[in-house]
Structures are given as structure tokens and as C-alpha cells.
Amino acid sequence: MKRRLSLLAMLLASTGSLPVTAGALPLDQQFAERITSTKASMMSNPEIALVNARAAGALAESLPAGKGAIARATSEWLQGEALTRLGKPTEAAPIVAGALATVARLEPYSKLHGDLLRSTASIAAKTGKVQTALITLHQAFAI
């Protein structure tokens, strides 16, 4: 119960970083602001980053198909990063893998593709798959 209250408090605190007029902003701008907020909190507070990444994912569901798939993959990348930083790499792995498959198909060799490969390598390293991590880091570096 105490943990849920703490998460609720973090969620409320994190929404304070968005402008009061966020509801009046276009959906893609709301998404962009949520992603910026997620990235800003990733190092200092991955729990807040996870909440923001999930909220960004919910916004991505309402974006047009062309933008929506990459937006969803971006939010999933950040969810995976947050989960990995919270010590949950096995929970992060399928999320990141799904995002990687989407980006490899729609935007191969993009920055997001490289970021997802790096996240995949981090997950592999944290789960004891060192050889896979090294190979995947080399793939990310090539991008």
C-alpha cells in the first residue's frame, strides 16, 4: 500500500512538469513533451521515467498510424530502459524486443534503431548473456 501511494505521488509530481494547457496541445506535441520528461528523469528517477514512458505510450495509441508505430516504439524503448535501471531486465526484454522489431522494419539504421540495440545489449549483459551483448553493441556502433 505504501509503495502504491509512493508511485501515485511520483505520478502526480511528474505531471507537474507538463504545462497546465497540455490538454489543449496537439496530441503529437503532448507526446513529445512526455518523451522529453521521460528522458529528463531517466537517470535520476527511473520510476518516474517509467510512469512517463507508459503515459507516452498511451498517447502514442491515438496518433495516426504512420507516426503511431514509431511513437509507440519510442515509448517502449524508454519503458525498457527504465525497467532495466530498476533491476528488471527480464521484464524489459520483450518490450524492447518488440520495439526493436518495429523500428528495424520501419526505420532501419535510425538513431532509435541504434538506441534499441544498445538497450538490448544492456539487457543481455545484465542477464548474463555477455557474448550477445558484445555482438549487439557492435551492431549499434555500426549505426
Side-chain angles (χ1 to χ4, degrees):
M1 180 69 169
K2 187 175 183 179
R3 180 159 166 72
R4 285 185 183 183
L5 290 175
S6 173
L7 286 174
L8 179 60
M10 286 188 292
L11 175 62
L12 292 174
S14 72
T15 57
S17 64
L18 294 176
V20 174
T21 59
L25 295 175
L27 200 54
D28 58 341
Q29 191 171 349
Q30 291 179 48
F31 174 81
E33 288 189 10
R34 188 60 76 165
I35 291 296
T36 299
S37 179
T38 301
K39 290 178 179 179
S41 61
M42 186 64 72
M43 295 294 286
S44 62
N45 197 332
E47 285 184 337
I48 288 178
L50 181 58
V51 169
N52 281 324
R54 287 178 173 158
L59 290 170
E61 294 298 323
S62 298
L63 291 172
K67 289 183 177 183
I70 294 300
R72 197 169 28 265
T74 301
S75 71
E76 289 170 348
W77 161 56
L78 292 169
Q79 288 176 50
E81 275 292 308
L83 287 165
T84 301
R85 292 170 192 265
L86 290 168
K88 300 176 180 180
T90 55
E91 189 177 335
I95 296 169
V96 171
L100 180 58
T102 298
V103 172
R105 188 179 82 254
L106 298 176
E107 287 190 2
Y109 305 104
S110 64
K111 181 183 180 308
L112 181 56
H113 190 187
D115 289 337
L116 282 159
L117 285 169
R118 191 200 50 76
S119 293
T120 300
S122 176
I123 290 166
K126 290 181 186 285
T127 57
K129 300 171 187 162
V130 180
Q131 185 175 8
T132 300
L134 184 59
I135 291 167
T136 308
L137 278 175
H138 282 284
Q139 291 172 341
F141 179 74
I143 291 177

